[in-house]
Amino acid sequence: MTYDFSLVIPVYNEAENIPALCKEINNALKGMSFEVICVDDGSTDQSFALLEEQVLNDRSLKIIRLRRNFGQTAAMAAGFQAARGTVIIPMDADLQNNPQDVPALLAKIDEGFDVVSGWRRNRQDTFISRKLPSIIANKLISHITHVHLHDYGCTLKAYRKEVLDQVSLYGELHRFVPALAHQVGAKVAEITVDHRPRTAGQSKYGIDRTLRVILDLITVKFLLKYATRPLQLFGKWGLGSCGLSLLTLMVTFYMKYADGLSMNRNPLLILSAFLLFAGVQFVALGLLGELVTRTYHEAQDKPIYTVRERVNFD
Ligand code: UDP
Ligand code: MG
């Protein structure tokens, strides 16, 4: 059985929100063809028991229970993998997202987009610990990935299933899916969505999330630009470093013959040796990267391109 869309909801200690969440979804999406996949990410409260209770009178609800808390990205990936909708729509379990936005997301997908990102334009979170870091992070991510969105962090987004299948999620990468999807050729759009304050349960994140997002951004940039040609990044630094090494060596020689400064008294000589060493290391790292890349693609039969459609092939 396939559905028009699958809602994928990561749940971690959201017992106070479960009954209202299920009710709200069914009211907002009555009559549509969908499934709801709740992924219990190792909750230690009554979340799972409450979900099981809901399943009894809700045919569209499915539950995946993870063995421990793996984090939001992993929980979402588990749901994405099990989902059988043509479109996949992740959403938070804490009622901050509004299921009434789903039809608008679907309409945008129907316009021909592969990814539609929600923008919590009127975000109901604290300013210093949430909104300010978010504004800066979104600017930075947009600039670095060249996919310009106002709200990477919004969970409520819509993806065509086949696009999501081509993106692998690790670490905390769920927020970067639009950028990663764009890399495989997806058309990305953005619409504003509703956002409400959290009224029950607790947020699972603090300000330290900002740091993790920045680190992930480095990974994403590398994946986007150099994943299939690491030597071109490291080789550039390596050759640059070797060139600088040669330059400092020449300066050392010049200082010896022009100013009579003994080479072993000149710190530039050490710098030159260090730069040469670093340069060789960079090139070697790039070559290792090339080997790893080949293993990565060939072990998974992962091509280095993606196809939108094929015509007249059997
Ligand atoms: N969540 C999860 N695993 C975690 C942390 C969070 O499944 O380890 C879920 C959580 O239950 C919620 C969603 O991810 O449905 C977003 O979490 P939260 O509301 O705490 O984030 P915030 O809105 O504060 O950014
Ligand atoms: Mg929340």
Side-chain angles (χ1 to χ4, degrees):
M1 168 118 191
T2 55
Y3 305 89
D4 287 349
F5 64 94
S6 306
L7 283 186
V8 171
I9 308 182
V11 176
Y12 181 48
N13 292 346
E14 302 284 1
E16 296 93 328
N17 292 312
I18 300 288
L21 175 74
C22 295
K23 202 163 149 208
E24 190 176 69
I25 289 171
N26 286 317
N27 284 342
L29 307 174
K30 210 174 275 164
M32 303 175 86
S33 146
F34 67 99
E35 61 177 347
V36 180
I37 302 181
C38 283
V39 185
D40 175 17
D41 185 17
S43 297
T44 50
D45 66 357
Q46 289 299 302
S47 295
F48 181 72
L50 285 166
L51 282 168
E52 268 192 318
E53 217 170 88
Q54 295 288 332
V55 166
L56 297 176
N57 47 26
D58 185 347
R59 308 266 318 141
S60 66
L61 181 62
K62 295 162 189 181
I63 319 172
I64 297 173
R65 188 184 196 185
L66 303 186
R67 282 195 190 277
R68 65 165 170 86
N69 178 243
F70 284 91
Q72 192 181 343
T73 298
M76 287 166 71
F80 291 164
Q81 225 226 319
R84 278 178 292 166
T86 322
V87 176
I88 298 181
I89 303 184
M91 198 175 95
D92 282 346
D94 57 3
L95 298 166
Q96 290 199 264
N97 295 134
N98 190 337
Q100 286 183 348
D101 286 316
V102 167
L105 288 167
L106 292 170
K108 200 75 187 169
I109 290 272
D110 280 341
E111 279 178 31
F113 292 99
D114 302 299
V115 174
V116 181
S117 179
W119 171 17
R120 297 164 293 178
R121 193 169 202 162
N122 196 0
R123 186 169 172 182
Q124 303 293 321
D125 280 319
T126 53
F127 184 76
I128 291 290
S129 70
R130 282 297 155 85
K131 289 205 267 189
L132 184 64
S134 157
I135 291 169
I136 299 170
N138 282 304
K139 286 242 154 65
L140 198 64
I141 299 171
S142 296
H143 180 74
I144 288 181
T145 63
H146 303 299
V147 180
H148 293 269
L149 296 177
H150 290 93
D151 196 0
Y152 271 91
C154 178
T155 307
L156 186 63
K157 294 181 178 357
Y159 306 104
R160 269 185 218 281
K161 166 96 169 141
E162 66 267 23
V163 166
L164 212 44
D165 285 343
Q166 290 174 332
V167 175
S168 327
L169 293 179
Y170 296 93
E172 303 268 327
L173 285 192
H174 69 266
R175 71 183 55 241
F176 292 101
V177 175
L180 296 168
H182 183 260
Q183 155 90 345
V184 299
K187 282 179 27 179
V188 182
E190 184 176 60
I191 64 168
T192 56
V193 295
D194 189 21
H195 194 244
R196 300 167 295 185
R198 198 188 242 280
T199 51
Q202 261 161 22
S203 170
K204 312 298 180 294
Y205 300 103
I207 184 90
D208 61 313
R209 177 161 69 184
T210 317
L211 196 64
R212 287 187 273 155
V213 170
I214 300 293
L215 290 175
D216 273 343
L217 183 58
I218 298 176
T219 311
V220 168
K221 176 67 187 179
F222 181 73
L223 288 179
L224 292 185
K225 195 125 190 236
Y226 295 107
T228 57
R229 49 193 183 105
L231 185 59
Q232 293 187 8
L233 175 66
F234 292 112
K236 199 163 60 187
W237 293 345
L239 294 183
S241 185
C242 289
L244 270 182
S245 160
L246 193 65
L247 192 73
T248 43
L249 190 65
M250 277 167 19
V251 172
T252 316
F253 273 113
Y254 174 82
M255 287 162 91
K256 179 179 165 72
Y257 292 111
D259 304 340
L261 180 69
S262 160
M263 279 173 69
N264 60 6
R265 300 236 171 144
N266 191 341
L268 275 184
L269 185 66
I270 295 172
L271 181 64
S272 169
F274 173 78
L275 285 171
L276 182 67
F277 187 67
V280 172
Q281 292 279 309
F282 275 131
V283 173
L285 200 63
L287 286 171
L288 268 182
E290 292 283 336
L291 282 182
V292 173
T293 302
R294 280 160 181 68
T295 315
Y296 172 79
H297 283 277
E298 284 159 29
Q300 311 181 59
D301 251 337
K302 219 177 154 99
I304 56 169
Y305 52 83
T306 55
V307 175
R308 190 179 297 277
E309 47 187 312
R310 296 173 203 267
V311 177
N312 212 15
F313 279 85
D314 340 287

